[in-house]
Amino acid sequence: FFLLPLIFVVVISFLTRGSGGSAVLPFTLSQYTRVFDTFWIVLQRTLVTAFVTTVICLLAGYPLAYFITRRQSNFGKQFALFLVILPFWTNFLIRTYAWRVILGREGIINSTLMNAGIISEPLSLLNTEFAVILGLVYGFLPFMVLPIYASLSRFDFRFIEAAHDLGANDWIAFWRVMLPLTMPGVVAGCILVFIPAIGTFVTSDLLGGTKGLMIGNLIQGQYSGNGHMPLGAALSVVMMLCVVVAL
């Protein structure tokens, strides 16, 4: 169930476009040539956007996971975790549309800034790379927090006290003791954020428009209407190879 669809995608990527965008013989490498000649810039933008999203989620998620772990009462930890996973109770598409309302020219941010006299005309926040990254960080931050929290919850904080007794300051204790021992959670969180961020197309489509075009949008477009199934398959294979190399 995992390998057979993958094999189909690889085989289709070497076929030729037929009527209606279907895949027909003969075999050809032209789809991969087009991917690297025409769509390479989109692939680069996708990788950079996914990497930036992962870094921001890590920088925000680690302190948040640490804050939750250090709560004294069990109720405080459970309630904080409840708040982290609470957005999952709402459909992801609806939450993304909510960001369109927030970032729009007449949205909450622009209205607040204009009413405060900080700006004289609305800011162009929507249909930008900034909006795409903001939406991705919002959507994938819990996937970074939860694995790191799992690692921190098993971490023995007496190691930090021992490091301080040996003359280490807070930064050295974190860098030499806490971070290495919680690295499995960090790695797991980065994987859970980076991989879906590469393949996303809903967030980039609704918040980025043409300026936020990512490889997921290209693949989705090739499999709808009079698309190009072999090209979509080639884009998928290249995206999977990028994920494998990154891992």
Side-chain angles (χ1 to χ4, degrees):
F1 288 105
F2 174 77
L3 292 179
L4 192 59
L6 186 60
I7 293 173
F8 284 158
V9 171
V10 174
V11 172
I12 290 173
S13 68
F14 289 102
L15 295 177
T16 305
R17 182 181 186 273
S19 60
S22 61
V24 297
L25 292 172
F27 290 102
T28 178
L29 293 174
S30 60
Q31 316 308 336
Y32 288 96
T33 302
R34 187 177 178 188
V35 168
F36 290 103
D37 288 346
T38 306
F39 300 113
W40 179 245
I41 187 172
V42 179
L43 181 59
Q44 287 181 312
R45 180 191 302 145
T46 301
L47 293 174
V48 171
T49 301
F51 177 77
V52 172
T53 299
T54 304
V55 171
I56 295 176
C57 285
L58 177 59
L59 294 178
Y62 202 105
L64 179 57
Y66 177 82
F67 172 80
I68 297 174
T69 306
R70 299 302 287 171
R71 296 306 89 201
Q72 297 299 323
S73 66
N74 188 57
F75 172 79
K77 293 181 181 179
Q78 298 300 324
F79 183 71
L81 289 174
F82 167 75
L83 294 179
V84 170
I85 65 175
L86 182 61
F88 290 119
W89 291 17
T90 306
N91 184 274
F92 183 76
L93 184 61
I94 296 177
R95 288 185 280 138
T96 305
Y97 269 112
W99 275 109
R100 286 185 58 88
V101 176
I102 295 173
L103 299 176
R105 294 183 63 84
E106 298 180 357
I108 298 175
I109 296 178
N110 277 318
S111 298
T112 302
L113 294 177
M114 292 184 68
N115 291 334
I118 299 176
I119 58 175
S120 58
E121 58 182 20
L123 299 175
S124 299
L125 301 176
L126 200 58
N127 298 327
T128 61
E129 293 185 10
F130 165 77
V132 174
I133 293 177
L134 180 62
L136 291 176
V137 170
Y138 164 76
F140 295 135
L141 182 59
F143 294 106
M144 182 68 73
V145 173
L146 296 178
I148 296 177
Y149 169 79
S151 289
L152 285 172
S153 62
R154 296 190 297 267
F155 177 74
D156 190 346
F157 284 90
R158 290 179 298 178
F159 289 145
I160 300 298
E161 298 175 5
H164 288 160
D165 291 340
L166 294 173
N169 56 29
D170 291 338
W171 170 250
I172 294 178
F174 167 77
W175 188 255
R176 298 288 299 275
V177 180
M178 180 182 292
L179 184 60
L181 292 178
T182 58
M183 189 57 68
V186 173
V187 173
C190 290
I191 292 174
L192 291 175
V193 172
F194 184 77
I195 292 179
I198 286 182
T200 186
F201 66 92
V202 172
T203 304
S204 54
D205 186 45
L206 295 179
L207 300 181
T210 56
K211 294 183 179 179
L213 183 65
M214 297 176 65
I215 193 171
N217 304 103
L218 288 177
I219 295 173
Q220 188 268 343
Q222 306 310 317
Y223 283 92
S224 61
N226 293 323
H228 196 315
M229 188 178 295
L231 179 60
L235 288 166
S236 301
V237 172
V238 171
M239 184 185 71
M240 287 187 289
L241 290 176
C242 290
V243 172
V244 170
V245 171
L247 291 179

